[in-house]
């Protein structure tokens, strides 16, 4: 596996990439859809290296914590501050997202209530079992990578008849926002790096429309530096040959048809809905909700939540534009001085895969220049 | 969030639960999303669930391609070194 980070490999691949971009009339702009890709690209300095080799990388909407609109975060905060004997479980990043109604980490829970961070959704089931007198809600956020785990957890809760357990879901599917970004035409994208682990679940087909309808090349890639560069090369090859396909440079993990068992459990427990994404707005069929027959385990239904409107983003935060690739984090006036990981003004500075956090963490020169 | 780690399966029981080894640490993992797994297989683990089995043949192919890139790069560098030396 050491090949994946070998300096000689990185140099060699960059050399090939530069050779190819020199033959193109202009620098191609490639969107890395996934926040974990953004992390690799900055952590290993690939952003600058690729720029020198003639490729512009822009970050996309691939951070589920970031694109979850504030009204859902606020609904979670209200659940645990307004209900007694209530345990809200969720992934760590979710607890630090700032809203006008505070954050899960800072809000003061009602008597007997608390927020608990879990690594796996299944831990919530154990918490529900050992606290029968309390309501336990798993605030589940994720893309297709995480959704099968949440769907299986839901199925297990139903099978075991865990009556004090439910799920507040913020589940998003990746292909629809890509269509929204391409159709909005606010930013011209010459190629997409598709997220490797989302693709391990959904396979290659769901991206086909981007190649076929819009003629934009794309490739599925893994998360090591060499994976990213192989992906970029594959896109450049497609551009050079004047064709657009969905290629797969992560075949060691991703099968063409994805993971059939994961897709089956998603289809069994969940159904699509139109959903609001931060920055991108309402996108048809871009979210998943718990099927009606299981609505007893849907926190929205159990606690009569009306998740609409919310109080909006914090003033000045431009996460929405960052998520669409319209601006890069340093273009936000709050970046670094007013907004940083200690005092985040938006989710893009909170999540380890949020573009603002990644820019802050891996580009010390930016901090010094300001 | 979509971070997945490659880890080796070390234990599986009938109810699809078990453990993987990740850099020497054993992590509780649910294997219900995969079929025909056995101890010794490599998987990608995300949020406590194994979401994909590593295809070792494909992995070998990628790695050997990358090794070729490395060797070529080394030679290219050697060329530069030689040129430098011959100039002196
Ligand atoms: S730097 Fe902070 S305020 Fe600006 S867009 Fe990013 S998260 Fe929002």
């Amino acid at each position: 596996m050491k090949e994946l980070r070998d300096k000689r490999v990185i140099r060699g691949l960059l050399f090939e990439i530069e050779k190819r971009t020199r033959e193109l009339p202009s620098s191609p702009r490639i969107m890395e859809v996934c926040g974990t890709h953004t992390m690799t690209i900055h952590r290993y300095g690939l952003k600058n290296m690729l720029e020198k080799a003639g490729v512009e990388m822009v970050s996309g909407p691939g951070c589920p914590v970031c694109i979850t609109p504030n009204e859902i975060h606020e609904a979670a905060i209200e659940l645990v501050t307004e209900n007694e004997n209530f345990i809200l479980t969720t992934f760590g990043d979710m607890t630090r997202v700032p809203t006008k109604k505070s954050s899960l980490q800072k809000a003061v829970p009602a008597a007997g209530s608390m927020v608990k961070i879990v690594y796996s959704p299944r831990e919530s089931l154990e918490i529900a079992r050992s606290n029968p007198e309390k309501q336990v809600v798993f605030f589940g956020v994720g893309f297709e990578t995480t959704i099968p785990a949440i769907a299986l957890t839901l199925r297990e809760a139903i099978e075991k008849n865990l009556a004090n357990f439910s799920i507040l879901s913020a589940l998003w599917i990746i292909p629809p926002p890509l269509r929204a970004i391409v159709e909005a035409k606010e930013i011209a994208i010459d190629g997409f790096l598709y997220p490797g682990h989302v693709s391990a679940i959904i396979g290659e087909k769901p991206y086909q429309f981007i190649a076929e309808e819009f003629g934009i090349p794309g490739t599925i890639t893994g998360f090591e530096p060499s994976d990213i560069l192989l992906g970029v090369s594959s896109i450049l090859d497609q551009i050079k040959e004047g064709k657009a396909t969905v290629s797969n440079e992560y075949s060691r993990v991703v099968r063409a048809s994805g993971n059939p068992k994961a897709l089956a459990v998603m289809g069994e427990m969940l159904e699509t809905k139109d959903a609001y994404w931060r920055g991108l707005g309402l996108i048809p069929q871009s979210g998943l909700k718990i099927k009606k027959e299981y609505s007893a385990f849907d926190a929205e239904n159990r606690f009569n939540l009306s998740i609409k409107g919310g109080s909006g983003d914090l003033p000045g935060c431009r996460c929405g534009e960052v998520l669409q690739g319209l601006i890069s984090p340093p273009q936000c006036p709050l970046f670094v001085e007013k907004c940083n990981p200690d005092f985040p003004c938006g989710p893009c500075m909170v999540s380890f895969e949020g573009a603002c956090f990644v820019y802050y963490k891996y580009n010390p020169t930016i901090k010094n220049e300001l | 969030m979509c971070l997945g780690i490659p880890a080796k399966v070390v234990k599986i029981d009938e109810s699809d639960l078990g453990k993987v080894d990740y850099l020497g640490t054993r992590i509780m993992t649910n294997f219900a999303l995969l079929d025909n797994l056995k101890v010794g297989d490599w998987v990608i683990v995300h949020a406590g669930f194994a979401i994909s089995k590593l295809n070792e043949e494909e992995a070998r192919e990628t790695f050997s391609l990358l090794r070729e890139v490395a060797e070529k790069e080394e030679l290219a560098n050697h060329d530069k070194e030689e040129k430098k030396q011959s100039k002196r």
Side-chain angles (χ1 to χ4, degrees):
Chain A
M1 299 275 273
K2 62 181 189 306
E3 293 86 353
L4 292 165
R5 295 182 189 172
D6 187 324
K7 287 212 176 80
R8 295 167 306 169
V9 173
I10 293 176
R11 267 202 312 268
L13 291 173
L14 279 165
F15 179 77
E16 292 297 322
I17 286 172
E18 192 172 348
K19 220 160 75 183
R20 275 169 236 199
T21 56
R22 272 205 226 109
E23 291 166 15
L24 298 174
S26 62
S27 289
R29 183 188 286 142
I30 296 178
M31 175 176 274
E32 88 269 5
V33 172
C34 172
T36 315
H37 280 159
T38 306
M39 216 162 76
T40 305
I41 288 168
H42 285 263
R43 182 168 171 192
Y44 295 96
L46 299 180
K47 165 104 176 148
N48 293 339
M49 293 181 208
L50 279 166
E51 208 163 290
K52 277 189 201 130
V55 180
E56 183 194 347
M57 299 301 298
V58 291
S59 308
C63 159
V65 177
C66 307
I67 58 90
T68 299
N70 271 3
E71 53 257 39
I72 307 185
H73 291 288
E74 286 174 358
I77 294 169
E78 278 169 19
L79 270 178
V80 74
T81 52
E82 290 174 10
N83 295 291
E84 294 186 355
N85 295 317
F86 202 99
I87 302 178
L88 189 109
T89 62
T90 192
F91 300 127
D93 284 2
M94 295 297 277
T95 62
R96 295 186 299 117
V97 173
T99 74
K100 286 185 188 150
K101 296 185 178 159
S102 186
S103 68
L104 281 171
Q105 191 184 46
K106 290 190 183 143
V108 181
S113 297
M114 66 192 297
V115 175
K116 258 188 162 194
I117 292 175
V118 292
Y119 156 69
S120 169
R122 280 190 83 243
E123 288 168 47
S124 317
L125 299 179
E126 191 42 52
I127 294 171
R129 239 186 319 259
S130 45
N131 292 278
E133 72 297 350
K134 298 194 180 194
Q135 284 292 327
V136 175
V137 172
F138 173 61
F139 182 14
V141 62
F143 292 139
E144 291 93 328
T145 317
T146 322
I147 294 172
I150 296 174
L152 269 182
T153 302
L154 172 64
R155 189 165 78 186
E156 198 175 332
I158 294 169
E159 280 164 5
K160 295 190 171 149
N161 208 4
L162 268 180
N164 63 331
F165 176 80
S166 59
I167 294 180
L168 173 61
S169 61
L171 310 176
W172 317 95
I173 48 184
I174 276 291
L178 302 184
R179 175 183 286 280
I181 287 173
V182 175
E183 280 181 349
K185 292 203 179 111
E186 290 189 61
I187 173 169
I189 311 266
D190 301 303
F192 282 104
L193 285 187
Y194 297 126
H197 291 152
V198 163
S199 308
I201 305 298
I202 67 174
E204 299 169 5
K205 211 166 135 224
Y207 308 113
Q208 216 75 47
F209 71 92
I210 295 182
E212 283 164 11
E213 280 178 48
F214 302 101
I216 302 176
T219 185
I220 295 165
T221 53
F223 300 92
E224 295 292 337
S226 299
D227 288 324
I228 300 280
L229 297 177
L230 284 174
V232 170
S233 291
S234 165
I235 289 173
L236 294 178
D237 284 344
Q238 293 180 45
I239 295 177
K240 190 177 158 203
E241 287 164 31
K243 63 176 193 188
T245 62
V246 179
S247 66
N248 181 0
E249 292 294 336
Y250 197 31
S251 55
R252 64 185 188 277
V253 169
V254 175
R255 316 284 112 82
S257 52
N259 178 334
K261 268 186 121 177
L263 291 170
V265 68
M266 283 166 71
E268 181 190 337
M269 309 308 294
L270 308 164
E271 61 193 9
T272 52
K273 63 168 187 185
D274 298 345
Y276 278 96
W277 292 53
R278 188 191 300 269
L280 294 158
L282 183 68
I283 305 177
Q285 303 298 302
S286 65
L288 292 177
K289 62 176 182 196
I290 294 171
K291 278 192 178 167
K292 254 213 178 75
E293 53 258 55
Y294 311 121
S295 61
F297 291 83
D298 185 346
E300 258 186 89
N301 181 66
R302 184 177 293 183
F303 303 103
N304 261 326
L305 305 178
S306 99
I307 304 181
K308 278 196 200 87
S311 58
D313 297 349
L314 293 190
C317 175
R318 296 179 67 183
C319 263
E321 289 157 88
V322 170
L323 290 167
Q324 297 170 78
L326 298 179
I327 65 166
S328 91
Q331 285 168 275
C332 169
L334 305 188
F335 184 68
V336 178
E337 262 181 38
K338 297 221 169 85
C339 175
N340 52 59
D342 292 330
F343 298 98
C345 295
C348 301
M349 188 57 92
V350 166
S351 169
F352 292 114
E353 295 162 340
C356 301
F357 176 84
V358 171
Y359 263 79
Y360 181 92
K361 177 148 194 221
Y362 296 113
N363 295 277
T365 50
I366 290 176
K367 277 177 259 176
N368 297 337
E369 274 166 24
L370 286 163
Chain B
M1 271 286 303
C2 294
L3 202 68
I5 50 170
K8 201 173 190 162
V9 178
V10 290
K11 192 179 151 222
I12 317 177
D13 67 21
E14 307 86 63
S15 54
D16 279 332
L17 294 175
K19 286 196 171 139
V20 295
D21 179 297
Y22 174 64
L23 304 177
T25 309
R26 294 192 161 209
I27 305 172
M28 273 270 287
T29 303
N30 183 306
F31 298 108
L33 294 172
L34 300 175
D35 276 326
N36 306 324
L37 266 192
K38 46 187 192 319
V39 168
D41 283 341
W42 283 81
V43 290
I44 298 288
V45 178
H46 168 77
F49 287 75
I51 59 165
S52 179
K53 182 175 147 180
L54 210 74
N55 180 325
E56 295 191 19
E57 200 173 309
E58 294 284 346
R60 263 196 298 277
E61 252 173 56
T62 303
F63 297 157
S64 78
L65 178 121
L66 294 177
R67 269 196 296 277
E68 272 171 39
V69 174
E71 279 156 22
K72 217 171 124 190
E73 176 61 24
E74 202 142 88
L75 279 178
N77 258 343
H78 280 157
D79 287 347
K80 275 183 214 157
E81 298 279 300
E82 273 165 28
K83 269 181 211 153
K84 262 191 226 158
Q85 277 171 8
S86 60
K87 268 185 198 161
R88 272 182 207 151

